[in-house]
Amino acid sequence: MAGITTERIIALHAAYIRCIDRNELESWPDFFLDPCLYVVTSAENHRAGFEGGMIYADTRGMLTDRVMSLRDANVYENQSYRHIVGLPYVIRNGGEGTETETPFMVMRIMHDGKTDVFATGVYLDVVRAAGADLKFKKRVVVCDSSRIDTLLALPL
Amino acid sequence: MAGITTERIIALHAAYIRCIDRNELESWPDFFLDPCLYVVTSAENHRAGFEGGMIYADTRGMLTDRVMSLRDANVYENQSYRHIVGLPYVIRNGGEGTETETPFMVMRIMHDGKTDVFATGVYLDVVRAAGADLKFKKRVVVCDSSRIDTLLALPL
Amino acid sequence: MAGITTERIIALHAAYIRCIDRNELESWPDFFLDPCLYVVTSAENHRAGFEGGMIYADTRGMLTDRVMSLRDANVYENQSYRHIVGLPYVIRNGGEGTETETPFMVMRIMHDGKTDVFATGVYLDVVRAAGADLKFKKRVVVCDSSRIDTLLALPL
């Protein structure tokens, strides 16, 4: 596979967070290949070499199940979220996929307008072209904070 | 019109927030075509389909008037602002203009150094080439929070 | 010198903050030419025209010394940091170097997971190609806040 341009990687990140922040979660699994690897973990666990995480999915179906359970829990009723993604760092481009690291921050906006920092961290991604699109073969979301309870409320 | 590159859209966003954060508000209307559409609204009102907003301007002259009234009110005396703009998502490129969605965050720094989140949201833009430059035909600033009072203090 | 692409400038910024946020400070001086200029100052001092700053270094050796003293002070023991860098604004491209302004924000994550805004500001950079890499000839870090004590704990 030839290398992927930064422009296309930027477009993928922008589309991904737009999907989540517009609360179009049903489309979120489409950003992944099937099978895939989607893990949410903490920096502490990641440094310690733990492969698992607070959230672990390795098929698109598991991602879809997750969306359904979030819908059941109505987590979006009283708050909204805003992702800001930083500039992607390309570790490796071409061959089996393009590997990137990209910092992110998520703000949470409560119903009364109060806004706080919900999460910060870094996306460790492996991206591949699938037809005209790019998709995630692997997305490991490493959250800086270990307060895990709040991190379970939405896709990151 | 041919499509506009992501590189040029990034340059436009970077120049726009630099103008505001450097407090060069008198140059701010130059980022817009004339006539134009500049609206600041809340996510709640935007979802409900309200066309108006807390701030509404459809000529460059109205933007200039707004800057003059902000200058009269001396809003910049005791605080400064820092915009961080995320990666732009291109919805449509070419034809009558390029349509993009771009998340943003604004931090407010008080005179004593205290820093808080002033606003988060998304820019819904239509951009067109005007000579060598890009300008906004339309910029709808959708703020995540509905606390409108604080949002009136500076251009977003 | 020919102009430098936005893509390469983005890659430089992404690599720089990754180095810091991964706590690989020993590699941080490699991002600079030798001699160089690295200054951390406040917006207030910068506006007043003061050339110095809270931190001033004009050789790579001084940057290395700084890392060693940070290591001695163990500042990383109880917190971590997350930089988010905004879109770069290119002031001048080519000739003696490429001059850019780039907003940034740094979040601090305490050991207990509490996250706050550590610093916001703008990087005023002059960048030059050095072989295959880009390096900073000059990086003036202008912090929006004048609370200087907290700004001394890590490279910005």
Side-chain angles (χ1 to χ4, degrees), chain A residues 80-110:
Chain A
S80 66
Y81 297 91
R82 178 64 55 199
H83 286 66
I84 300 280
V85 173
L87 307 174
Y89 177 80
V90 179
I91 297 172
R92 188 171 51 79
N93 204 344
E96 283 304 296
T98 296
E99 193 177 344
T100 61
E101 280 192 29
T102 310
F104 69 87
M105 182 169 46
V106 185
M107 312 301 290
R108 178 173 53 181
I109 301 94
M110 306 306 288

Side-chain angles (χ1 to χ4, degrees), chain C residues 106-121:
Chain C
V106 185
M107 311 302 289
R108 179 173 53 182
I109 301 95
M110 306 308 288
H111 194 68
D112 66 357
K114 198 172 166 302
T115 301
D116 58 3
V117 180
F118 178 69
T120 65

Side-chain angles (χ1 to χ4, degrees), chain A:
Chain A
M1 194 184 75
I4 293 172
T5 61
T6 299
E7 184 160 351
R8 286 188 74 192
I9 293 167
I10 286 177
L12 174 65
H13 280 296
Y16 181 95
I17 63 168
R18 179 177 182 255
C19 169
I20 296 173
D21 290 343
R22 286 167 63 97
N23 194 6
E24 299 171 345
L25 301 189
E26 284 70 17
S27 303
W28 170 65
D30 296 340
F31 285 94
F32 293 84
L33 291 169
D34 193 13
C36 58
L37 181 65
Y38 175 77
V39 173
V40 179
T41 188
S42 67
E44 197 172 357
N45 284 348
H46 186 70
R47 266 194 307 270
F50 297 142
E51 294 262 323
M54 306 171 244
I55 299 168
Y56 182 98
D58 57 14
T59 65
R60 213 189 270 171
M62 289 175 72
L63 298 175
T64 301
D65 287 349
R66 181 159 172 74
V67 170
M68 288 172 64
S69 61
L70 287 173
R71 289 300 190 207
D72 285 343
N74 275 324
V75 291
Y76 275 83
E77 204 168 355
N78 289 310
Q79 62 251 30
S80 66
Y81 297 91
R82 178 64 55 199
H83 286 66
I84 300 280
V85 173
L87 307 174
Y89 177 80
V90 179
I91 297 172
R92 188 171 51 79
N93 204 344
E96 283 304 296
T98 296
E99 193 177 344
T100 61
E101 280 192 29
T102 310
F104 69 87
M105 182 169 46
V106 185
M107 312 301 290
R108 178 173 53 181
I109 301 94
M110 306 306 288
H111 194 68
D112 66 357
K114 197 170 167 301
T115 301
D116 59 2
V117 181
F118 178 69
T120 64
V122 63
Y123 292 124
L124 310 183
D125 297 322
V126 176
V127 166
R128 285 192 200 162
D133 294 326
L134 297 183
K135 291 189 189 286
F136 293 107
K137 177 63 188 168
K138 179 176 165 184
R139 162 153 279 196
V140 177
V141 186
V142 182
C143 297
D144 294 321
S145 171
S146 299
R147 284 187 180 178
I148 63 167
D149 56 329
T150 55
L151 298 173
L152 305 176
L154 89 164
L156 285 172

Side-chain angles (χ1 to χ4, degrees), chain B residues 38-50:
Chain B
Y38 176 76
V39 174
V40 178
T41 189
S42 68
E44 197 173 358
N45 284 348
H46 186 70
R47 267 195 305 270
F50 297 141

Side-chain angles (χ1 to χ4, degrees), chain B residues 7 18 22 82 105 112-113, chain C residues 6 101 105 144-145 147:
Chain B
E7 183 160 352
R18 179 179 184 253
R22 286 166 64 96
R82 179 63 55 199
M105 183 170 45
D112 67 356
Chain C
T6 299
E101 281 191 27
M105 183 168 46
D144 294 322
S145 170
R147 284 188 180 175

